[in-house]
Amino acid sequence: SGSWQQVRTGAGIGWIPSSKLSTKVIAPPAKPKVYNYAKAFTAVKVKAAASSANVVSIHRQTKVEVLGKSGSWTKVVV
C-alpha cells in the first residue's frame, strides 16, 4: 500500500516501509561437509537395516561423506 509493504515473519504479520526491503535473495550458509573413513571392509546398505540389500562394499580407509544418523546407522555417500 503506497510506500509500505505487508510482511509475514515468525513473530506475525505487519507493515514496514518498502525502502527497508531488498529484492536480493539471501542464500543460507552452506553446511560444512563431514567426512569419515571406514574402519574395516564393510557393505553399504540401501536402508538402515542389516537385512537391507547391499549397494556396494568398501575397503578399510575408504573416505565417506556423512549425511546423517539413525540410531547406530550412519547415512553416507561413497
Side-chain angles (χ1 to χ4, degrees):
S1 176
S3 62
W4 289 79
Q5 293 202 23
Q6 190 175 32
V7 296
R8 180 185 318 239
T9 69
I13 298 173
W15 292 85
I16 62 173
S18 297
S19 63
K20 300 292 183 182
L21 294 175
S22 171
T23 58
K24 182 178 178 183
V25 176
I26 300 172
K31 187 176 179 182
K33 294 183 178 185
V34 176
Y35 296 97
N36 282 354
Y37 294 87
K39 289 182 181 180
F41 181 82
T42 190
V44 177
K45 302 285 192 174
V46 173
K47 296 181 181 177
S51 61
S52 179
N54 293 348
V55 175
V56 67
S57 293
I58 59 174
H59 293 278
R60 182 179 164 276
Q61 294 299 314
T62 299
K63 184 178 181 178
V64 296
E65 179 184 350
V66 176
L67 300 180
K69 294 189 178 200
S70 176
S72 64
W73 291 86
T74 302
K75 187 173 186 177
V76 298
V77 174
V78 178

